[in-house]
Amino acid sequence: MTTSLAALALAAGSLGSLPLTLAAAGPAAADVVEPFGKRYDESLYGDFTTIGNTVTGCPTAPADLAARCATSAAGQGRDNNNTFVMERINTASMAAGYGSSTGHVVIPAGARVAYARLFWGGNDGTHKGPSGARLKRCDISGADVVTSPGDHATTAPHIRVGAGAATAVSIDSMVTDPAETSGPHYYTGESDVTAAFAGVTGADAQVAVGNIWAPDGRGCVAGWSLTVVYEFAGPEPTFAPNRRNVYVYGGHVLQRSTSPATTITVDGFHRTTGKARASVTAYEGDWNTPGDTFLVDGRNVTEAHTGNTDNFFVSEDDGAVSPKQANNLSIAGTRRGFARVVYVRLSVYATG
């Protein structure tokens, strides 16, 4: 199994240097395609929130597999996305077409959006088999995939916030697995979308993201994650009594089930009182496969939705509106937890 991390947010109080560890277990090395790098660093009276959603869904036929997939989406059964021919969806009904879904982000009253970063990605529709053959698949079994129009590396997502207009984002970063990488290949992109939140304050804003490039096929995944940093003009007793350092990181690491743990150290902030809080978003989170963990300062983090300590990535997301499923068979995201993934797009830490 492989895992892909999409967004991470951390709010820490009593720490001066914090090692974060992603683990699936085994002897082989993880493939670091792009090392993690800092995208944002600010001290402010505020915090962050992270939401996400899939842009792939269950097959509509044949009837028996469609029913089995619906059972899995409800958080039951023993199947994951590798059982099904996953299909692109357009639940946001955006003019950009398929590869869309919606979520909502809550900004406390009196706060403004200081920074917002969109992450997206999934399978690129290619697979290097054990014999070295280059296949047009997400999973080695099944038929060749049917992809979105265009090229994953140059297709820009569209974002719509509230009643605003949908706009194409700029691609700040785009990373794809090298062709010689064994197994399924993935891509991830990033964009600074702060401008889309101009004037948004104290709101439960619906967010639509579309035109995410994705393949239809057995085992395919694709989705998006959005991390929003908000701030107040000064101390706010409920949400921001003290300043916090907010860090945003991005990178691309293939974390296989046979890879050793990957550790990222966050430092450079002052020690204060308070509890650590984190969130993460990940692709390829198989909810029915245990063995993946997330550790903060060497301590195993309990998955927020299930209470598991040995299965952190479970394909369940925070902030999803449509679709909203217990198991979306694609992307996992939670404001306090982490998900099973193969590629790592680490998004945000907030420390204070």
Side-chain angles (χ1 to χ4, degrees), residues 51 103-107 160-163 197 200-208 226 319 321:
I51 67 171
H104 70 96
V105 60
V106 179
I107 309 299
R160 183 179 67 230
V161 178
F197 288 85
V200 175
T201 180
D204 184 345
Q206 181 155 311
V207 177
L226 175 69
V321 173

Side-chain angles (χ1 to χ4, degrees), residues 260-275:
T262 294
T263 300
I264 304 100
T265 299
V266 182
D267 56 19
F269 53 90
H270 296 289
R271 297 172 65 90
T272 65
T273 59
K275 296 181 178 179

Side-chain angles (χ1 to χ4, degrees), residues 214-273:
D216 289 354
R218 182 181 296 275
C220 295
V221 300
W224 56 272
S225 168
L226 175 69
T227 298
V228 177
V229 180
Y230 59 84
E231 69 172 336
F232 297 89
E236 200 283 334
T238 301
F239 298 100
N242 301 299
R243 282 186 175 272
R244 291 189 177 96
N245 292 334
V246 180
Y247 302 89
V248 181
Y249 285 80
H252 189 104
V253 177
L254 176 60
Q255 188 73 31
R256 306 175 192 275
S257 58
T258 55
S259 302
T262 294
T263 300
I264 304 100
T265 299
V266 182
D267 56 19
F269 53 90
H270 296 289
R271 297 172 65 90
T272 65
T273 59

Side-chain angles (χ1 to χ4, degrees), residues 1 36 78 103-104 116 123 131 160 177 208 227 232 240 256-257 263 266-268 274 286 301 306 313 322 334:
M1 181 197 113
F36 285 107
R78 298 182 178 180
H104 70 96
N123 290 101
S131 66
R160 183 179 67 230
D177 284 339
T227 298
F232 297 89
R256 306 175 192 275
S257 58
T263 300
V266 182
D267 56 19
D286 293 334
V301 177
T306 64
F313 307 117
S322 180
T334 169

Side-chain angles (χ1 to χ4, degrees), residues 164-193:
T167 58
V169 308
S170 61
I171 301 176
D172 297 344
S173 173
M174 177 60 66
V175 183
T176 302
D177 284 339
E180 61 271 16
T181 302
S182 296
H185 295 165
Y186 298 81
Y187 80 95
T188 52
E190 303 177 27
S191 178
D192 181 341
V193 293

